[in-house]
Amino acid sequence: MIKSYVTGFPRIGEKRELKRSLEGLWGKKEGFSQDSLSQTAKTLRARHWEYQKNANIDVISSNDFSLYDIMLDTIFMLGCVPFRFRGLSGNELYFSMARGNNSAVAMEMTKWFNTNYHYIVPELHKGTEFNLNSQKVISEYNEAKAQGIKTKINLVGPITFLALAKTTDDSCAFCHLDEVVAKYAELLEQISKLDDEIIVQFDEPIFVTDRGDELADKIVPVYEKLTSVANNVKIVFMTYFEHALKAVNEVVKTKIYGIGLDFVYGVKNLDALEILAKSNVVLFAGVVDGRNVWKSDIDKKVEFVKEIEKRLGGKDFYVGSSCSLLHVPFTLKYEEKINPEVKSWLSFAVEKLSEISIITALANNKPLCEVATKIYNDNKASANSRANSTLIHDKAVAERVNALVKFQRDLSFDERIKIQHKTLNYGILPTTTIGSFPQTTELRVLRQNFKKGEIDESTYNDGIKKYIDDCVKFQEECGLDVLVHGEPERNDMVEYFGEQIKGYAFSENGWVQSYGSRCVKPPLLFGDVSRPKPMTVDWISYAQSRTDKIMKGMLTGPVTILNWSFVRDDKPRAEIAKQLALCINDEISDLQDAGIKIVQVDEAAFKEGYPLRAENIPSYEKFAVDCFKLSVSSARPETQIHTHMCYSEFNDIIKTIEAMDADVISIETARSGNELLKIFKSVGYKQEVGPGVYDIHSPRVPSVDELVTQIKALLEVLPKEQLWINPDCGLKTRKWEEVKPSLVNMTQAVKIVRNS
Ligand code: GLN
Ligand code: ZN
């Protein structure tokens, strides 16, 4: 017999109710209070359980809900509160740790594995004390029970918790392992009293990483303790995002009840089936993609599940989502504008619930009810339409990709740069910016009004032109060498291009939690992509017409577009990337034909796509480099290609960055001084580099003196012939009052250094 489960469910609310409630409380808006927040949270939990129950999911979670973040909940639960928050309690403590308060800075936040979800990093030191606070865990369980649902309780596992912690002294987080495990044991003891039998899911995703492999010897001792607390608690060791083969070998040595494996992103997990067939550990098979938005092909999934069943020798097991559904949007219910055919291919969290239960029923050879039958029939129709739709399959695009012969620029960097120095004629320490200038309220209103049809095109164009004019005028006044148009027409660096590329769609309500109350709405790349017409040439040409200085064209790179979109799963990523690269390639061609001499191709999210396991890194790097090179291969030798990356740490990837072969790269070194720049020197990096000289993430205006010192520090590492001077990222989140004096000081500082 096969049963269904869901790893975890999103919590922000299908209309982002939690976001509103949180931000209302934080902003002290009228009508918002701790009580209204608790009420919203309660309503959402009840609704989310109801959805899962209605979809006939057998194993539904509690404690997957969070007011901010599950790691923060765990910090709170274990009582390991950093010293600076002592004296606070309840939600005041909880939100202070997340967001800081008047006297204490917030705790660090970072990305959860290879997702765009951010968690709060536990902050430990040698003397950290732990005190169990089980209130949330227990009360959520009871809440669901009162609703008639016996849930599995989700917890972050102790090994993953400590592996992701940082320490503020030089101690090792794992020196706390025994104590932390003791707290978890205490918790399990309490949990065991809640019901006759309870499943507790310990999320241990660290074991899908290479680091996890090194920690594998901790599994047996830790889980031997936890499994011996109470006989009626069944522990599930949950992993996701990649294979966890090494952990499987350890888990089967323990009394752990079940292990969760991801069969969508960890295909190698198939090798675990043989081991599991011989063991008492029950499989929780993640087969429905929890990280992407397309419908599962139910027939294929059923076949796959039956294959698992066979390989397990007919043992009972569970079928569910590949990871928490937190990483996909809520529901298609409110999507009214999207093309109905594209919509018919999509499946968000709520829709995935039905997929899971239908796959389970069919794999059990059970008949489907009327509603499920309709969903199943629609699913078959959609698989068919996806395979054949002309919206997806564009012959011309496929033919062009197949016929490609030119994959990179004609001349080598050494040859190109000589030509460029002659034609572009810039002196030492050329100054520029990263592209965007402040996004003012007027600008946002202007774009929104145009989108809503409230103003006509010429009014909109006049508004944008006025912004560009002001922007150019200011840059000329402060004496920057290479100008930008300021990106006033862009809401978001990926969305702007997505909207103009054929093969992209946009949801109205496809929000995914990024951190705390913040959500992102990634565009949907559903089909073969191509560029029907130029995307940026008009605005860049206009900007160039307003100045005799060099105007830099501004594009988003193919790797970044890919990494920040929901991407179709019916074609290899490398091929989709080639299609995107060709869109950018065409745009560069048109820009240079229009007289633009420098084009920047931003790869802000280049690192985001790095795989979790080292064994997959070489293929990602090859794919990313090939893709970038293809995108700029249309640039003539005299056209200078810049790229920008929002990172400062290049030690591991410097060879890859070099292989991308951009003429100039600007990076985010401002906060790390010249230390991290040394890698460029030590590998003999030849191309030009613009290490950010000040931090744009803070409103602070850097003084001339400070900037002089910073530039001199850079000159200690790289020769003046190789350096560009610029801020460390785009200026769109800053105010004009901050940007203007900062850039004036920057150009001043450069003058001083040039003359010294
Ligand atoms: N050109 C973009 C900008 O200036 C780059 C953004 C980024 O680095 N994230 O906004
Ligand atoms: Zn940046």
Side-chain angles (χ1 to χ4, degrees), residues 472-497:
V472 168
K473 190 160 164 265
F474 164 70
Q475 294 174 82
E476 285 189 332
E477 276 165 11
C478 78
L480 283 154
D481 298 309
V482 172
L483 310 196
V484 296
H485 77 301
E487 305 180 24
E489 77 288 19
R490 303 181 191 179
N491 35 3
D492 172 275
M493 64 186 290
V494 171
E495 194 171 48
Y496 179 75
F497 290 92

Side-chain angles (χ1 to χ4, degrees), residues 434 604 644-646 668 728-730:
I434 307 305
H644 167 72
M645 290 191 191
C646 304
E668 245 192 47
D728 74 344
C729 195

Side-chain angles (χ1 to χ4, degrees), residues 680-691:
F680 284 85
K681 181 179 180 140
S682 64
V683 299
Y685 189 86
K686 280 190 292 192
Q687 292 96 320
E688 301 186 356
V689 189

Side-chain angles (χ1 to χ4, degrees), residues 103 239 254 278 458 477 500 538 596 611 621 628 652 673 716:
S103 51
T239 70
T254 68
K278 286 184 242 144
S458 79
E477 276 165 11
Q500 301 188 76
D538 284 351
I596 300 303
E621 290 183 330
F628 184 84
D652 296 345
E716 279 168 26

Side-chain angles (χ1 to χ4, degrees), residues 433-437 439 484 486-487 490 493 554-556 560 564 600 602-605 644-646 668 728-733:
T433 61
I434 307 305
S436 57
F437 269 79
Q439 291 267 331
V484 296
E487 305 180 24
R490 303 181 191 179
M493 64 186 290
M554 198 56 62
L555 305 174
T556 301
T560 295
W564 277 342
Q600 180 171 311
D602 286 325
E603 285 293 12
H644 167 72
M645 290 191 191
C646 304
E668 245 192 47
D728 74 344
C729 195
L731 301 166
K732 73 174 186 208
T733 55

Side-chain angles (χ1 to χ4, degrees), residues 603-617:
E603 285 293 12
F606 188 82
K607 271 194 182 181
E608 245 87 326
Y610 266 75
L612 290 168
R613 287 194 175 269
E615 65 200 36
N616 301 322
I617 288 178

Side-chain angles (χ1 to χ4, degrees), residues 10-18 44 47-48 330 509:
R11 57 249 180 169
I12 203 81
E14 62 193 34
K15 294 206 143 167
R16 288 181 295 159
E17 293 89 338
L18 184 60
L44 290 177
R47 189 197 290 161
H48 302 164
F330 259 85
N509 198 45

